[in-house]
Amino acid sequence: MARLADYFVLVAFGPHPRGSGEGQGQILQRFPEKDWEDNPFPQGIELPSGWQLCPERNPPTFFVAVLTDINSERHYCACLTFWEPAEPSQQETTRVEDATEREEEGDEGGQTHLSPTAPAPSAQLFAPKTLVLVSRLDHTEVFRNSLGLIYAIHVEGLNVCLENVIGNLLTCTVPLAGGSQRTISLGAGDRQVIQTPLADSLPVSRCSVALLFRQLGITNVLSLFCAALTEHKVLFLSRSYQRLADACRGLLALLFPLRYSFTYVPILPAQLLEVLSTPTPFIIGVNAAFQAETQELLDVIVADLDGGTVTIPECVHIPPLPEPLQSQTHSVLSMVLDPELELADLAFPPPTTSTSSLKMQDKELRAVFLRLFAQLLQGYRWCLHVVRIHPEPVIRFHKAAFLGQRGLVEDDFLMKVLEGMAFAGFVSERGVPYRPTDLFDELVAHEVARMRADENHPQRVLRHVQELAEQLYKNENPYPAVAMHKVQRPGESSHLRRVPRPFPRLDEGTVQWIVDQAAAKMQGAPPAVKAERRTTVPSGPPMTAILERCSGLHVNSARRLEVVRNCISYVFEGKMLEAKKLLPAVLRALKGRAARRCLAQELHLHVQQNRAVLDHQQFDFVVRMMNCCLQDCTSLDEHGIAAALLPLVTAFCRKLSPGVTQFAYSCVQEHVVWSTPQFWEAMFYGDVQTHIRALYLEPTEDLAPAQVGEAPSQEDERSALDVASEQRRLWPTLSREKQQELVQKEESTVFSQAIHYANRMSYLLLPLDSSKSRLLRERAGLGDLESASNSLVTNSVAESYDTESGFEDAETCDVAGAVVRFINRFVDKVCTESGVTSDHLKGLHVMVPDIVQMHIETLEAVQRESRRLPPIQKPKLLRPRLLPGEECVLDGLRVYLLPDGREEGAGGSAGGPALLPAEGAVFLTTYRVIFTGMPTDPLVGEQVVVRSFPVAALTKEKRISVQTPVDQLLQDGLQLRSCTFQLLKMAFDEEVGSDSAELFRKQLHKLRYPPDIRATFAFTLGSAHTPGRPPRVTKDKGPSLRTLSRNLVKNAKKTIGRQHVTRKKYNPPSWEHRGQPPPEDQEDEISVSEELEPSTLTPSSALKPSDRMTMSSLVERACCRDYQRLGLGTLSSSLSRAKSEPFRISPVNRMYAICRSYPGLLIVPQSVQDNALQRVSRCYRQNRFPVVCWRSGRSKAVLLRSGGLHGKGVVGLFKAQNAPSPGQSQADSSSLEQEKYLQAVVSSMPRYADASGRNTLSGFSSAHMGSHGKWGSVRTSGRSSGLGTDVGSRLAGRDALAPPQANGGPPDPGFLRPQRAALYILGDKAQLKGVRSDPLQQWELVPIEVFEARQVKASFKKLLKACVPGCPAAEPSPASFLRSLEDSEWLIQIHKLLQVSVLVVELLDSGSSVLVGLEDGWDITTQVVSLVQLLSDPFYRTLEGFRLLVEKEWLSFGHRFSHRGAHTLAGQSSGFTPVFLQFLDCVHQVHLQFPMEFEFSQFYLKFLGYHHVSRRFRTFLLDSDYERIELGLLYEEKGERRGQVPCRSVWEYVDRLSKRTPVFHNYMYAPEDAEVLRPYSNVSNLKVWDFYTEETLAEGPPYDWELAQGPPEPPEEERSDGGAPQSRRRVVWPCYDSCPRAQPDAISRLLELQRLETELGQPAERWKDTWDRVKAAQRLEGRPDGRGTPSSLLVSTAPHHRRSLGVYLQEGPVGSTLSLSLDSDQSSGSTTSGSRQAARRSTSTLYSQFQTAESENRSYEGTLYKKGAFMKPWKARWFVLDKTKHQLRYYDHRVDTECKGVIDLAEVEAVAPGTPTMGAPKTVDEKAFFDVKTTRRVYNFCAQDVPSAQQWVDRIQSCLSDA
């Protein structure tokens, strides 16, 4: 029984003590005056605050506030407020107030507006007075009736003593629970029935839940429910206090069986609003009038009951219920609240269904939530750990196991609920095994199966809900017929009547006397304690997953588990090869939970007596599988996998040496689960439970103790909870001694487990190598809890520098210290929780450091011995093949090469096996970074994987942390990206120390960015000196080239010093500080190399002798050879200058004084003097003034190049022309010079040569007019986007203004036709802004927008990312590659380049000259100028021509290769900018469109693309000729060669290689004469260059030819065992093999004669000769058919500027276009029917050369003169010696297929020298004659010369001797 009310208080309005505007509540009287002992008066009553007087009487109000005391007991304060006229003193205080709008706590809307200035004197004010009942019971209606009765007695003036009523109220006792009814009367003729609920634990909600749903709706209430459970702050707003109290009560009722344990204030007084900013969660109700104050609360969920909204702030995330519970709950709620919804769509709805009463609906809604909790927490009792049973039960909940087995580890909601305070209360309250049970316990234990079965049957669910609702309703209203209340109420509007007197002061004595009387009575009566029915709480069925989820890929089929079992049995049976094959599948299967479980169980079977000794290989396998299992264990322990493996890691071991054993735990430490305290606690409690259960079980029962952390397997076995329940039942019956004994036993059990766990934790936390404590640093547990853990961060630094210095021990101790602290913290926590005595705890603290220290000592021995172990199963390192001269800098570091996002290597879209990840080693050489290894997947086979790139190509290096593919350990790694489109993503093997990895990075950096260009591979290669040693100095013999170049540089420096160094932006770094390489001895005089044509450029005597040497060396440069070819002038003195030539070669820059980045000889107009050039150069950036670089052979237009104009120059140039007076134009002499210079250029063109002007336009022939129509196509095909529209219209012929005659006469009427300028100047739009070109001038500006070098750099970075992503895409799709390709804008830049180049080509072709002067004149200018020449001049499309083009435009004209390629330390910051690569890409695009116009192949372009960054050759080093001369590079090749010197120049290498193999040759080469190419440039016509995307993992990049020459077939000796010959079939994988090598095209295959010839012992013929011979034969055969010119393959009547191959084929008449020939091995697919026959005929000829039919086997062949039969003349015949058939055949000529005669070698008797007879060739030496004597006759032969005669004799002799 309990008191109905503890205190009755009368509170009235009183003035505020501090004189502030508001009044305050004053307690007038309180009964009883002294506190009850068991329940002191709650001092915290902050009753209605902000009290104010009111101008009129308000009706009385009633509400119940809830207060929570310090013991979290709730006190219910029922307040009834009414108004009385204010006393004068009260009114006075208010008059002074500056009262604005106030709100009174007890009033719903009482607001008053008092004006302090003009108070109405007559106005009567009313003051509030409140009757308050304070109780611990929640009987709202009884309180309302009781207070109402007291008020009614006062207002109605009834003849009842108020003291008696209040005394009775305070002494009334009611039962707490049990469903009994109690009728009470307060002595005023009233009667009330108090009904207690049946079960005390179930909340009483009346209608509050139903009201809450009505006000807010389903979704909103569910949100609030989740918010309250996950500890968010919830605030209710309403104008009604009663509603606030109901809403809070309803929300709490929904949370059952969890209890809300945070701040709970249904009605918050106005003065305490700051409570809302508390950091802790709460449920609070506030009057809606204070809504404004709640606006700035950022993390509070606000529910507005009146408006029906719930506002969730942005920063708050409420996790929803896990699916499918969320949707199920939602639908059931809607069925309860809105049953009509189901029937709304029916055609014939049933008559209206009766809706439940509000009270019933309330219970139904609660039933839905009760079911929800039963579903959520189903099986929770299986995860309870009984840690102690006596004296009080200690229960712990294994959260990880619960979440894991429910399949909800990822679920945010349940995770937060289980971590919350409410759930902790739930466990301590409901975990107890022996206690009274309620509805929830029964539901969880017995109804689970039913709920699962009902899931998909809404009606059955509804029925279940209604059954539960009945029980809940019955709990609140056990007796349906409740006796009627009878309570006196005041009359209607009684509050408006004038009450004769205020509420009286009551007599304390009377009330106190009544209370005392009752108390005395109570003492006498026995305490009415209702005996609780305590039972064992049923556990219910074991838990199941909420939703049977398949973990995607790894559905654990029985087959997978079978694989795991087999693999383990193979390991333990010693069948290692079988196990190795299965291992990858096992590691894959272990991603699934069941397979991990299976592994743990299988391994348990192999442990006898807690120990299993394995051999090394078995040990390794077991450890790898364990690691794989553990790697996916979160810190939540993956519900028991780590727990199951924990006993195993201390069981499996191997013997390292006598007395030293290594256990598995030393190899599985690197997992986060070991460092989480929660894991150890759960494990500890689980073990303790097992032992405590064993304590109480009878020995007979203790047959199979449950496995750690797992539910008991047998049904009949009693669980620990059952045992505990039984013990708790018996406890009161035991004797005191027996109780003590049990307590002691339990305590010592816990204590011994604590010691055991201290050991276990030290095993798993102390690393084998304490210097490698990276793990400890990273471990969350140790790091976070470690206050002094900073020391751990640096612990391996000292040791790596100085192992001997004694630092090591200190570090070890530090690791030990961290572990000791971690273990101590653990021990403290678990021992205090499980009640271990303090003495024992102290003992433990003393023990822990000793345990750790002992373990460290044993580990030292283990580590020492394990280091001695020969590492098994690691493949031996494969040494890479090195180039001659390439040296290893760092030997192989073991690494894993991981997939880099290209699909093929990982066995992606192309199918095939996963070559990556691969296991091997990375090598660093002076030239490359090389990885060699084998795929980790054993199913791939013994393939060697090689990936390498030149060190110089490295663009980005970053450290990464990755999992190794085999052991799945986290390892440090490196990701290296190179601009040759290779990426090495490597994880270092654990044997590679961090210092080795760091050393690798440093060395790599040193090699990538040498301090000086001479330290690069191209220089160190083949030279004896090592970088850093002082060079040898040798004495020069005479003025060698080296000294020459030095003088030259010296002079240049002098001259430059005076002129323009000050203004130059770019200065090449000076060479003084860079060590000189040892000079090689050169020949004294300059010798012209034999490959060049003898030079006709003879320097005349006008030059000084020293200059002449310079000149003669300059003359040999590529530029000069090209100028001469183009007829651009000769080098002659100014005196004897040939006037007829418009241009001349000027040596003005021979000392590089005018422009350092230009070549020494330049082409300038004949009329310009050398001294003027100096002034002109000042107008241009970098002094790069316009010079001629090419002239069209047909239109004689010239192409010039220069740097951009300086601002000053531009303005001067174009303003001076319009100047009225000559004075102004001379103001700036240099710009005047510039104008003159351009004028001279224009005049030099043939059609402008005549100054008088008559001849001005004579060159503009009709041929040029005829080519007019092409411009339309240029403009419409989208090319003009980058060009000025003005020039577009001019070019299209819209501008009819012909330049007037120079002599002022009218223009010749014949030339009044659209006219183009003689010279177009292409410049940057930004530079030429605002410059208007004068239409009277002969030149015109074309401003174009071009990209800058930095844009190229940025674009290339993105292109690199797109082609080699770095990490495998989540879902690889072609679209993502194309998207990133588009983002890079690389193709857009190529489009712009081609567009501008085609524009220039058109201009030049039409006869206008063009000057390209963009940026500084060395990047984009070079690209455009080179492309223009390539498109215009077929010579540059040959191998020789392309080399000249690159040497001239890129090398001589100073493209900054070293700067753009960041070759040295100085350029490191600027990064890699692939301007040259972009040019090669453009050439590749043109090559694709015109495959028959280029002599070189695509491979040649890739080769140059690779080697211009590789720094293998010296060709592409340095930034200009000036720098190359300064280093002595330019002329050094001319010296004599001693022995085999490695190629220094890329061209030399190409020449050598071309002689051996046709790899650079394009078989389709069949040029048309004087063909100008006009490629399409739209992005849609461009293709991604396969240089960026393809790779060859078999041998690395194929551009170092010596390395890529591995034998394509397996060597013969493998098959020499006499068995059947193996098949020669090979599987060709697209990313592994080099396809062109594995499957060469037919022609390459046929040209592979060398092997055949050498086998047959014949001197090998060069492939080129064979090829030319075949082509010649082809032409001969082609003639009779009349198929056009011999050189052309495609003949047609198409327009002469054919676009590209594909388009061209469509233009010609069908059937006659294509005839297949040797030159085209790709066009066979598109042959048209008409030419098929021809094709067949021509190929038959080809094969007849080499067919293996009997007629043709050629061992040796050649031309011999043969004397005919008697009296017949000598004739040249083609002889073939056939070893196979043993005969000598002869033909009329070499291409003849019909044999003219045969000499059988079997008949030959002798071969002897002969003598010339009559009619023999006269010019031949007589030793060239020989005779062959057969049994029939003597044959007389004559060879062309003596050696070949000797050769023939030898060959025939060898044939005879073979026979």
Side-chain angles (χ1 to χ4, degrees), residues 1561 1647 1663-1675:
H1561 187 76
L1647 288 175
W1663 69 268
K1664 192 83 174 75
D1665 302 346
T1666 318
W1667 178 243
D1668 292 342
R1669 198 165 70 242
V1670 173
K1671 282 184 78 169
Q1674 186 68 19
R1675 289 198 189 99

Side-chain angles (χ1 to χ4, degrees), residues 1473-1590:
T1473 314
V1475 179
F1476 185 64
L1477 185 70
Q1478 201 170 43
F1479 161 69
L1480 291 175
D1481 197 346
C1482 292
V1483 179
H1484 145 260
Q1485 302 291 352
V1486 181
H1487 199 303
L1488 281 181
Q1489 294 186 33
F1490 300 97
M1492 298 162 73
E1493 294 298 330
F1494 290 85
E1495 188 189 5
F1496 47 84
S1497 62
Q1498 291 272 3
F1499 181 82
Y1500 181 63
L1501 295 173
K1502 295 179 197 172
F1503 179 86
L1504 289 180
Y1506 184 84
H1507 282 300
H1508 93 277
V1509 290
S1510 73
R1511 294 200 301 227
R1512 178 179 170 187
F1513 303 107
R1514 301 183 180 184
T1515 312
F1516 295 111
L1517 295 182
L1518 301 173
D1519 289 348
S1520 63
D1521 274 1
Y1522 171 74
E1523 289 188 10
R1524 291 182 192 97
I1525 287 182
E1526 202 170 15
L1527 253 197
L1529 283 194
L1530 214 48
Y1531 310 118
E1532 64 173 6
E1533 301 110 43
K1534 304 298 174 280
E1536 65 192 14
R1537 287 274 151 70
R1538 290 187 299 280
Q1540 185 68 22
V1541 180
C1543 288
R1544 305 263 171 82
S1545 151
V1546 74
W1547 313 119
E1548 188 185 338
Y1549 185 79
V1550 168
D1551 284 349
R1552 280 193 198 174
L1553 199 53
S1554 298
K1555 286 175 182 154
R1556 287 180 17 221
T1557 165
V1559 65
F1560 295 133
H1561 187 76
N1562 174 19
Y1563 299 124
M1564 296 180 71
Y1565 180 51
E1568 286 197 5
D1569 299 332
E1571 172 72 15
V1572 175
L1573 308 183
R1574 295 176 177 78
Y1576 288 128
S1577 66
N1578 291 337
V1579 176
S1580 55
N1581 295 101
L1582 305 179
K1583 302 275 185 293
V1584 184
W1585 195 5
D1586 53 7
F1587 176 60
Y1588 306 149
T1589 51
E1590 68 177 17

Side-chain angles (χ1 to χ4, degrees), residues 1274-1517:
V1274 172
R1275 225 175 48 261
T1276 51
S1277 65
R1279 291 203 171 105
S1280 57
S1281 57
L1283 318 171
T1285 49
D1286 170 41
V1287 76
S1289 60
R1290 168 74 58 88
L1291 296 175
R1294 305 243 172 95
D1295 191 347
L1297 230 175
Q1301 306 297 358
N1303 58 11
D1308 189 314
F1311 292 108
L1312 276 177
R1313 55 175 85 164
Q1315 175 50 31
R1316 297 190 186 161
L1319 173 65
Y1320 287 98
I1321 301 174
L1322 266 64
D1324 293 353
K1325 205 169 201 170
Q1327 257 182 3
L1328 304 179
K1329 211 172 268 174
V1331 176
R1332 243 184 27 241
S1333 58
D1334 185 351
L1336 302 180
Q1337 285 297 331
Q1338 291 112 331
W1339 56 77
E1340 181 175 333
L1341 285 164
V1342 183
I1344 59 174
E1345 272 186 63
V1346 285
F1347 41 87
E1348 298 170 26
R1350 62 190 168 80
Q1351 285 162 289
V1352 178
K1353 180 161 118 192
S1355 166
F1356 180 72
K1357 257 190 191 159
K1358 291 181 187 165
L1359 174 74
L1360 207 51
K1361 259 262 162 67
C1363 296
V1364 191
C1367 51
E1371 54 235 28
S1373 66
S1376 56
F1377 167 67
L1378 295 173
R1379 197 171 304 114
S1380 39
L1381 182 71
E1382 184 182 21
D1383 292 344
S1384 74
E1385 299 191 344
W1386 179 259
L1387 288 177
I1388 293 172
Q1389 294 184 359
I1390 292 209
H1391 151 72
K1392 281 191 176 168
L1393 280 175
L1394 285 171
Q1395 195 182 26
V1396 172
S1397 306
V1398 171
L1399 163 77
V1400 177
V1401 167
E1402 295 284 8
L1403 287 171
L1404 288 166
D1405 203 43
S1406 66
S1408 301
S1409 292
V1410 180
L1411 161 60
V1412 182
L1414 304 167
E1415 36 75 46
D1416 285 340
W1418 47 38
D1419 288 330
I1420 298 171
T1421 304
T1422 309
Q1423 288 176 324
V1424 171
V1425 169
S1426 316
L1427 274 172
V1428 168
Q1429 294 177 55
L1430 185 89
L1431 294 175
S1432 306
D1433 192 336
F1435 170 67
Y1436 296 122
R1437 303 198 280 272
T1438 62
L1439 272 162
E1440 167 70 9
F1442 193 74
R1443 167 186 175 170
L1444 262 179
L1445 180 68
V1446 173
E1447 284 188 322
K1448 177 178 73 165
E1449 298 301 338
W1450 290 87
L1451 296 167
S1452 294
F1453 274 99
H1455 172 65
R1456 303 163 67 190
F1457 279 104
S1458 281
H1459 179 78
R1460 292 288 179 231
H1463 283 174
T1464 55
L1465 206 51
Q1468 185 183 351
S1469 54
S1470 61
F1472 176 71
T1473 314
V1475 179
F1476 185 64
L1477 185 70
Q1478 201 170 43
F1479 161 69
L1480 291 175
D1481 197 346
C1482 292
V1483 179
H1484 145 260
Q1485 302 291 352
V1486 181
H1487 199 303
L1488 281 181
Q1489 294 186 33
F1490 300 97
M1492 298 162 73
E1493 294 298 330
F1494 290 85
E1495 188 189 5
F1496 47 84
S1497 62
Q1498 291 272 3
F1499 181 82
Y1500 181 63
L1501 295 173
K1502 295 179 197 172
F1503 179 86
L1504 289 180
Y1506 184 84
H1507 282 300
H1508 93 277
V1509 290
S1510 73
R1511 294 200 301 227
R1512 178 179 170 187
F1513 303 107
R1514 301 183 180 184
T1515 312
F1516 295 111
L1517 295 182

Side-chain angles (χ1 to χ4, degrees), residues 925-951:
T925 72
T926 43
Y927 170 47
R928 292 176 300 159
V929 182
I930 313 163
F931 169 87
T932 57
M934 305 278 227
T936 50
D937 187 342
L939 303 175
V940 177
E942 301 288 302
Q943 305 291 345
V944 179
V945 170
V946 180
R947 192 179 266 175
S948 70
F949 61 81
V951 175

Side-chain angles (χ1 to χ4, degrees), residues 1115-1189:
V1115 164
E1116 286 177 20
R1117 298 297 295 145
C1119 317
C1120 273
R1121 308 215 299 278
D1122 203 38
Y1123 297 151
Q1124 189 186 348
R1125 181 184 71 82
L1126 293 167
L1128 278 173
T1130 54
L1131 190 63
S1132 55
S1133 73
S1134 49
L1135 304 173
S1136 60
R1137 190 182 298 159
K1139 287 286 180 285
S1140 60
E1141 294 189 14
F1143 297 101
R1144 67 188 178 91
I1145 297 182
S1146 161
V1148 65
N1149 197 37
R1150 66 184 179 284
M1151 292 301 184
Y1152 300 96
I1154 290 187
C1155 175
R1156 240 190 224 206
S1157 56
Y1158 264 7
L1161 301 176
L1162 300 167
I1163 303 286
V1164 295
Q1166 184 76 271
S1167 54
V1168 180
Q1169 300 295 325
D1170 281 358
N1171 53 7
L1173 294 174
Q1174 178 81 53
R1175 295 194 291 277
V1176 173
S1177 68
R1178 287 182 196 148
C1179 302
Y1180 292 88
R1181 294 204 209 163
Q1182 312 295 353
N1183 286 14
R1184 292 173 71 97
F1185 61 95
V1187 292
V1188 176
C1189 54

Side-chain angles (χ1 to χ4, degrees), residues 696-816:
Y696 291 105
L697 276 180
E698 302 299 318
T700 51
E701 282 185 40
D702 196 7
L703 293 174
Q707 266 182 16
V708 186
E710 296 198 12
S713 48
Q714 293 146 347
E715 288 299 318
D716 54 342
E717 200 174 77
R718 291 164 58 201
S719 72
L721 280 172
D722 299 339
V723 172
S725 167
E726 179 67 13
Q727 288 300 320
R728 289 307 298 163
R729 192 174 59 74
L730 296 173
W731 175 254
T733 64
L734 299 176
S735 65
R736 180 107 178 107
E737 290 77 24
K738 180 70 178 162
Q739 288 183 344
Q740 280 299 107
E741 184 193 336
L742 288 177
V743 169
Q744 261 175 341
K745 269 189 182 173
E746 284 189 23
E747 200 260 355
S748 57
T749 305
V750 174
F751 176 62
S752 61
Q753 278 303 310
I755 298 173
H756 178 46
Y757 267 81
N759 273 304
R760 274 187 167 180
M761 289 167 79
S762 67
Y763 292 158
L764 279 154
L765 292 174
L766 284 171
L768 185 57
D769 175 2
S770 53
S771 64
K772 255 197 181 176
S773 57
R774 186 188 68 186
L775 161 78
L776 283 170
R777 269 175 275 154
E778 289 171 357
R779 284 205 168 151
L782 296 178
D784 299 349
L785 305 172
E786 188 54 69
S787 50
S789 65
N790 303 342
S791 55
L792 289 176
V793 178
T794 54
N795 62 356
S796 62
V797 177
E799 193 230 351
S800 60
Y801 286 115
D802 180 12
T803 324
E804 300 304 315
S805 63
F807 276 97
E808 205 168 343
D809 293 335
E811 273 132 29
T812 324
C813 301
D814 213 325
V815 177

